[in-house]
Amino acid sequence: RGQIGVTIENDLEMREGRVTRSTAEIATVEPGSPAAAAGLQAGDRLISIAGRDFSNGLPRLGDVLEPGRRLIVRIARAGLERDVPVTA
């Protein structure tokens, strides 16, 4: 089973008392991990992993985290969104 090497904290973006978007903040990046190799950083906001967003909490990723599989991780950093390829 693959992994990308981050720990995350789930968070909700609220506007006028309603959830507008659910994201997760990267709390730590393991040195030498696929996430570190891809340039992910603590504080990056995860928007989606392999097209799966966080609208219903943390997405189940067991079927896409196969060792050697390339995933697209959508993040927000410094107010800008971008896609980052990560190999699990």
PDB file of all heavy atoms in Angstrom, residues 4 6 8 46-54 59-61 64-65 71-74:
ATOM      1  N   ILE A   4       1.933   9.020   0.691  1.00  0.00           N
ATOM      2  CA  ILE A   4       2.678  10.165   0.173  1.00  0.00           C
ATOM      3  C   ILE A   4       3.514  10.842   1.248  1.00  0.00           C
ATOM      4  O   ILE A   4       4.363  11.653   0.929  1.00  0.00           O
ATOM      5  CB  ILE A   4       1.772  11.174  -0.563  1.00  0.00           C
ATOM      6  CG1 ILE A   4       0.733  11.789   0.356  1.00  0.00           C
ATOM      7  CG2 ILE A   4       1.136  10.518  -1.780  1.00  0.00           C
ATOM      8  CD1 ILE A   4      -0.039  12.953  -0.278  1.00  0.00           C
ATOM      9  N   VAL A   6       2.467  12.602   4.403  1.00  0.00           N
ATOM     10  CA  VAL A   6       2.036  13.822   5.086  1.00  0.00           C
ATOM     11  C   VAL A   6       1.079  13.467   6.213  1.00  0.00           C
ATOM     12  O   VAL A   6       0.427  12.425   6.174  1.00  0.00           O
ATOM     13  CB  VAL A   6       1.325  14.826   4.139  1.00  0.00           C
ATOM     14  CG1 VAL A   6       2.241  15.298   3.048  1.00  0.00           C
ATOM     15  CG2 VAL A   6       0.051  14.258   3.556  1.00  0.00           C
ATOM     16  N   ILE A   8      -2.213  15.391   8.109  1.00  0.00           N
ATOM     17  CA  ILE A   8      -3.104  16.504   7.777  1.00  0.00           C
ATOM     18  C   ILE A   8      -4.096  16.761   8.891  1.00  0.00           C
ATOM     19  O   ILE A   8      -4.357  15.903   9.737  1.00  0.00           O
ATOM     20  CB  ILE A   8      -3.861  16.247   6.452  1.00  0.00           C
ATOM     21  CG1 ILE A   8      -4.679  14.958   6.535  1.00  0.00           C
ATOM     22  CG2 ILE A   8      -2.920  16.210   5.283  1.00  0.00           C
ATOM     23  CD1 ILE A   8      -5.541  14.715   5.319  1.00  0.00           C
ATOM     24  N   LEU A  46      -4.615  21.247   1.213  1.00  0.00           N
ATOM     25  CA  LEU A  46      -5.001  20.226   0.242  1.00  0.00           C
ATOM     26  C   LEU A  46      -6.444  20.475  -0.174  1.00  0.00           C
ATOM     27  O   LEU A  46      -7.333  20.562   0.671  1.00  0.00           O
ATOM     28  CB  LEU A  46      -4.892  18.833   0.851  1.00  0.00           C
ATOM     29  CG  LEU A  46      -3.500  18.335   1.181  1.00  0.00           C
ATOM     30  CD1 LEU A  46      -3.583  17.024   1.953  1.00  0.00           C
ATOM     31  CD2 LEU A  46      -2.686  18.156  -0.073  1.00  0.00           C
ATOM     32  N   ILE A  47      -6.658  20.564  -1.468  1.00  0.00           N
ATOM     33  CA  ILE A  47      -8.009  20.759  -2.008  1.00  0.00           C
ATOM     34  C   ILE A  47      -8.554  19.433  -2.512  1.00  0.00           C
ATOM     35  O   ILE A  47      -9.706  19.091  -2.276  1.00  0.00           O
ATOM     36  CB  ILE A  47      -7.986  21.820  -3.121  1.00  0.00           C
ATOM     37  CG1 ILE A  47      -7.544  23.150  -2.515  1.00  0.00           C
ATOM     38  CG2 ILE A  47      -9.346  21.920  -3.802  1.00  0.00           C
ATOM     39  CD1 ILE A  47      -7.180  24.192  -3.533  1.00  0.00           C
ATOM     40  N   SER A  48      -7.704  18.665  -3.202  1.00  0.00           N
ATOM     41  CA  SER A  48      -8.114  17.339  -3.665  1.00  0.00           C
ATOM     42  C   SER A  48      -6.878  16.483  -3.895  1.00  0.00           C
ATOM     43  O   SER A  48      -5.777  16.997  -4.097  1.00  0.00           O
ATOM     44  CB  SER A  48      -8.943  17.425  -4.950  1.00  0.00           C
ATOM     45  OG  SER A  48      -8.160  17.908  -6.022  1.00  0.00           O
ATOM     46  N   ILE A  49      -7.100  15.184  -3.853  1.00  0.00           N
ATOM     47  CA  ILE A  49      -6.063  14.209  -4.156  1.00  0.00           C
ATOM     48  C   ILE A  49      -6.660  13.250  -5.170  1.00  0.00           C
ATOM     49  O   ILE A  49      -7.704  12.657  -4.921  1.00  0.00           O
ATOM     50  CB  ILE A  49      -5.603  13.441  -2.908  1.00  0.00           C
ATOM     51  CG1 ILE A  49      -5.022  14.409  -1.873  1.00  0.00           C
ATOM     52  CG2 ILE A  49      -4.585  12.362  -3.273  1.00  0.00           C
ATOM     53  CD1 ILE A  49      -4.666  13.767  -0.554  1.00  0.00           C
ATOM     54  N   ALA A  50      -6.023  13.115  -6.317  1.00  0.00           N
ATOM     55  CA  ALA A  50      -6.499  12.245  -7.396  1.00  0.00           C
ATOM     56  C   ALA A  50      -7.958  12.549  -7.745  1.00  0.00           C
ATOM     57  O   ALA A  50      -8.754  11.654  -7.976  1.00  0.00           O
ATOM     58  CB  ALA A  50      -6.325  10.776  -7.030  1.00  0.00           C
ATOM     59  N   GLY A  51      -8.302  13.839  -7.739  1.00  0.00           N
ATOM     60  CA  GLY A  51      -9.647  14.253  -8.107  1.00  0.00           C
ATOM     61  C   GLY A  51     -10.692  14.096  -7.015  1.00  0.00           C
ATOM     62  O   GLY A  51     -11.852  14.411  -7.228  1.00  0.00           O
ATOM     63  N   ARG A  52     -10.287  13.644  -5.849  1.00  0.00           N
ATOM     64  CA  ARG A  52     -11.239  13.455  -4.738  1.00  0.00           C
ATOM     65  C   ARG A  52     -11.079  14.606  -3.754  1.00  0.00           C
ATOM     66  O   ARG A  52     -10.011  14.804  -3.192  1.00  0.00           O
ATOM     67  CB  ARG A  52     -10.980  12.126  -4.054  1.00  0.00           C
ATOM     68  CG  ARG A  52     -11.224  10.978  -5.008  1.00  0.00           C
ATOM     69  CD  ARG A  52     -10.908   9.674  -4.410  1.00  0.00           C
ATOM     70  NE  ARG A  52     -11.021   8.647  -5.446  1.00  0.00           N
ATOM     71  CZ  ARG A  52     -10.961   7.373  -5.208  1.00  0.00           C
ATOM     72  NH1 ARG A  52     -10.790   6.929  -3.985  1.00  0.00           N
ATOM     73  NH2 ARG A  52     -11.068   6.520  -6.201  1.00  0.00           N
ATOM     74  N   ASP A  53     -12.174  15.343  -3.552  1.00  0.00           N
ATOM     75  CA  ASP A  53     -12.098  16.497  -2.669  1.00  0.00           C
ATOM     76  C   ASP A  53     -12.456  16.116  -1.230  1.00  0.00           C
ATOM     77  O   ASP A  53     -12.702  14.962  -0.929  1.00  0.00           O
ATOM     78  CB  ASP A  53     -12.967  17.645  -3.186  1.00  0.00           C
ATOM     79  CG  ASP A  53     -14.452  17.329  -3.173  1.00  0.00           C
ATOM     80  OD1 ASP A  53     -14.901  16.445  -2.423  1.00  0.00           O
ATOM     81  OD2 ASP A  53     -15.180  17.998  -3.928  1.00  0.00           O
ATOM     82  N   PHE A  54     -12.473  17.095  -0.380  1.00  0.00           N
ATOM     83  CA  PHE A  54     -12.694  16.877   1.043  1.00  0.00           C
ATOM     84  C   PHE A  54     -14.090  17.326   1.474  1.00  0.00           C
ATOM     85  O   PHE A  54     -14.322  17.595   2.634  1.00  0.00           O
ATOM     86  CB  PHE A  54     -11.624  17.642   1.844  1.00  0.00           C
ATOM     87  CG  PHE A  54     -10.236  17.098   1.639  1.00  0.00           C
ATOM     88  CD1 PHE A  54      -9.514  17.415   0.510  1.00  0.00           C
ATOM     89  CD2 PHE A  54      -9.680  16.251   2.568  1.00  0.00           C
ATOM     90  CE1 PHE A  54      -8.237  16.913   0.313  1.00  0.00           C
ATOM     91  CE2 PHE A  54      -8.406  15.735   2.389  1.00  0.00           C
ATOM     92  CZ  PHE A  54      -7.690  16.067   1.259  1.00  0.00           C
ATOM     93  N   PRO A  59     -11.170  12.019   2.131  1.00  0.00           N
ATOM     94  CA  PRO A  59     -11.572  11.022   1.136  1.00  0.00           C
ATOM     95  C   PRO A  59     -10.865   9.690   1.353  1.00  0.00           C
ATOM     96  O   PRO A  59      -9.756   9.638   1.877  1.00  0.00           O
ATOM     97  CB  PRO A  59     -11.133  11.652  -0.190  1.00  0.00           C
ATOM     98  CG  PRO A  59     -10.017  12.561   0.167  1.00  0.00           C
ATOM     99  CD  PRO A  59     -10.311  13.053   1.562  1.00  0.00           C
ATOM    100  N   ARG A  60     -11.514   8.612   0.967  1.00  0.00           N
ATOM    101  CA  ARG A  60     -10.889   7.293   1.001  1.00  0.00           C
ATOM    102  C   ARG A  60      -9.968   7.187  -0.203  1.00  0.00           C
ATOM    103  O   ARG A  60     -10.384   7.406  -1.327  1.00  0.00           O
ATOM    104  CB  ARG A  60     -11.946   6.209   0.964  1.00  0.00           C
ATOM    105  CG  ARG A  60     -12.854   6.230   2.169  1.00  0.00           C
ATOM    106  CD  ARG A  60     -13.545   4.887   2.348  1.00  0.00           C
ATOM    107  NE  ARG A  60     -14.427   4.915   3.475  1.00  0.00           N
ATOM    108  CZ  ARG A  60     -14.045   4.666   4.730  1.00  0.00           C
ATOM    109  NH1 ARG A  60     -12.790   4.395   4.982  1.00  0.00           N
ATOM    110  NH2 ARG A  60     -14.908   4.697   5.719  1.00  0.00           N
ATOM    111  N   LEU A  61      -8.718   6.845   0.054  1.00  0.00           N
ATOM    112  CA  LEU A  61      -7.723   6.857  -1.009  1.00  0.00           C
ATOM    113  C   LEU A  61      -7.023   5.523  -1.188  1.00  0.00           C
ATOM    114  O   LEU A  61      -6.084   5.423  -1.963  1.00  0.00           O
ATOM    115  CB  LEU A  61      -6.673   7.943  -0.730  1.00  0.00           C
ATOM    116  CG  LEU A  61      -7.213   9.362  -0.691  1.00  0.00           C
ATOM    117  CD1 LEU A  61      -6.162  10.314  -0.136  1.00  0.00           C
ATOM    118  CD2 LEU A  61      -7.660   9.804  -2.076  1.00  0.00           C
ATOM    119  N   VAL A  64      -6.293   4.379  -4.749  1.00  0.00           N
ATOM    120  CA  VAL A  64      -5.431   5.175  -5.620  1.00  0.00           C
ATOM    121  C   VAL A  64      -4.009   5.315  -5.081  1.00  0.00           C
ATOM    122  O   VAL A  64      -3.124   5.762  -5.790  1.00  0.00           O
ATOM    123  CB  VAL A  64      -6.012   6.579  -5.911  1.00  0.00           C
ATOM    124  CG1 VAL A  64      -7.313   6.461  -6.675  1.00  0.00           C
ATOM    125  CG2 VAL A  64      -6.166   7.399  -4.662  1.00  0.00           C
ATOM    126  N   LEU A  65      -3.783   4.929  -3.844  1.00  0.00           N
ATOM    127  CA  LEU A  65      -2.450   5.052  -3.263  1.00  0.00           C
ATOM    128  C   LEU A  65      -1.644   3.776  -3.450  1.00  0.00           C
ATOM    129  O   LEU A  65      -1.125   3.194  -2.510  1.00  0.00           O
ATOM    130  CB  LEU A  65      -2.544   5.404  -1.772  1.00  0.00           C
ATOM    131  CG  LEU A  65      -2.888   6.844  -1.456  1.00  0.00           C
ATOM    132  CD1 LEU A  65      -3.014   7.048   0.049  1.00  0.00           C
ATOM    133  CD2 LEU A  65      -1.858   7.801  -2.028  1.00  0.00           C
ATOM    134  N   LEU A  71      -0.071  10.609  -8.748  1.00  0.00           N
ATOM    135  CA  LEU A  71      -1.320  11.266  -8.365  1.00  0.00           C
ATOM    136  C   LEU A  71      -1.185  12.762  -8.585  1.00  0.00           C
ATOM    137  O   LEU A  71      -0.096  13.316  -8.456  1.00  0.00           O
ATOM    138  CB  LEU A  71      -1.615  11.045  -6.877  1.00  0.00           C
ATOM    139  CG  LEU A  71      -1.584   9.624  -6.347  1.00  0.00           C
ATOM    140  CD1 LEU A  71      -1.637   9.650  -4.841  1.00  0.00           C
ATOM    141  CD2 LEU A  71      -2.742   8.850  -6.909  1.00  0.00           C
ATOM    142  N   ILE A  72      -2.284  13.403  -8.876  1.00  0.00           N
ATOM    143  CA  ILE A  72      -2.297  14.859  -8.927  1.00  0.00           C
ATOM    144  C   ILE A  72      -2.917  15.346  -7.622  1.00  0.00           C
ATOM    145  O   ILE A  72      -4.040  14.993  -7.283  1.00  0.00           O
ATOM    146  CB  ILE A  72      -3.096  15.383 -10.136  1.00  0.00           C
ATOM    147  CG1 ILE A  72      -2.454  14.902 -11.438  1.00  0.00           C
ATOM    148  CG2 ILE A  72      -3.179  16.915 -10.088  1.00  0.00           C
ATOM    149  CD1 ILE A  72      -1.020  15.364 -11.655  1.00  0.00           C
ATOM    150  N   VAL A  73      -2.145  16.148  -6.911  1.00  0.00           N
ATOM    151  CA  VAL A  73      -2.594  16.726  -5.647  1.00  0.00           C
ATOM    152  C   VAL A  73      -2.820  18.212  -5.901  1.00  0.00           C
ATOM    153  O   VAL A  73      -1.910  18.923  -6.319  1.00  0.00           O
ATOM    154  CB  VAL A  73      -1.533  16.515  -4.543  1.00  0.00           C
ATOM    155  CG1 VAL A  73      -1.963  17.185  -3.244  1.00  0.00           C
ATOM    156  CG2 VAL A  73      -1.280  15.025  -4.323  1.00  0.00           C
ATOM    157  N   ARG A  74      -4.053  18.668  -5.680  1.00  0.00           N
ATOM    158  CA  ARG A  74      -4.372  20.095  -5.860  1.00  0.00           C
ATOM    159  C   ARG A  74      -4.212  20.775  -4.510  1.00  0.00           C
ATOM    160  O   ARG A  74      -4.798  20.348  -3.523  1.00  0.00           O
ATOM    161  CB  ARG A  74      -5.775  20.287  -6.400  1.00  0.00           C
ATOM    162  CG  ARG A  74      -6.083  21.744  -6.695  1.00  0.00           C
ATOM    163  CD  ARG A  74      -7.095  21.849  -7.835  1.00  0.00           C
ATOM    164  NE  ARG A  74      -7.271  23.204  -8.269  1.00  0.00           N
ATOM    165  CZ  ARG A  74      -6.502  23.827  -9.157  1.00  0.00           C
ATOM    166  NH1 ARG A  74      -5.490  23.203  -9.709  1.00  0.00           N
ATOM    167  NH2 ARG A  74      -6.749  25.070  -9.510  1.00  0.00           N
TER     168      ARG A  74
END
